[in-house]
Amino acid sequence: GAFAPRGGEPFSFQAEDGTLKHWMWAPVGDTKEDELMNLLQSNGIDASELEPHAFAQLHDEVYTRFLSVLEQQRGELVRTVGIIKVWLHVSILNVDHVLTVKTKFRKGRYESGDKDRPISMRLRVDQDWEDG
């Protein structure tokens, strides 16, 4: 049945399978989200003006997957990203060949913006290039 728990107070209800479920409220977010928001704001960046999901992607990149670092340098906020590019060079029958990207499949569609560029990927902050 329907129930209306009061905000902030623990509550219980009986699930469809007959078991009694106990719930309690917890704050949403983490201190790293607040830290990132404060870092952006203290450097003149209004997070509300970012594209949809950009804040979540930046948080994931910096604090979860450790693909980049944000730091203040000479009064500016600098984002450092480790990238590895690989040129696979082969001579076949005395003809030089280099492996390049033709298309990428990203977010459900093919993109050709990286056509004829070498293969590249981001590295975690603690990752050596040999592990890439």
Side-chain angles (χ1 to χ4, degrees):
F3 61 93
R6 289 179 293 212
E9 294 183 19
F11 61 96
S12 301
F13 70 94
Q14 190 166 2
E16 289 180 10
D17 65 1
T19 60
L20 188 61
K21 302 291 182 180
H22 303 280
W23 292 80
M24 63 186 317
W25 297 96
V28 176
D30 63 27
T31 57
K32 293 298 183 186
E33 289 175 350
D34 293 336
E35 182 181 314
L36 178 58
M37 185 71 72
N38 291 335
L39 180 62
L40 294 174
Q41 287 177 348
S42 68
N43 284 279
I45 300 168
D46 184 355
S48 67
E49 294 179 3
L50 297 175
E51 292 184 23
H53 306 293
F55 182 83
Q57 289 174 347
L58 182 60
H59 178 274
D60 178 62
E61 181 180 294
V62 173
Y63 295 105
T64 305
R65 295 189 298 150
F66 306 106
L67 297 174
S68 68
V69 175
L70 290 174
E71 55 192 353
Q72 292 178 320
Q73 294 179 0
R74 293 184 293 261
E76 291 185 337
L77 187 61
V78 176
R79 176 174 161 239
T80 303
V81 181
I83 297 177
I84 182 171
K85 291 186 179 187
V86 177
W87 282 266
L88 186 56
H89 189 267
V90 168
S91 178
I92 301 174
L93 299 174
N94 291 328
V95 177
D96 290 331
H97 296 275
V98 177
L99 182 63
T100 59
V101 174
K102 291 298 176 191
T103 60
K104 283 187 178 181
F105 188 76
R106 192 179 329 185
K107 297 181 182 177
R109 62 177 201 247
Y110 287 97
E111 298 177 1
S112 60
D114 292 331
K115 185 176 180 181
D116 297 327
R117 290 188 181 171
I119 297 169
S120 64
M121 64 179 282
R122 293 183 187 183
L123 296 175
R124 290 187 320 270
V125 172
D126 61 347
Q127 187 176 13
D128 291 326
W129 72 269
E130 293 95 346
D131 297 331

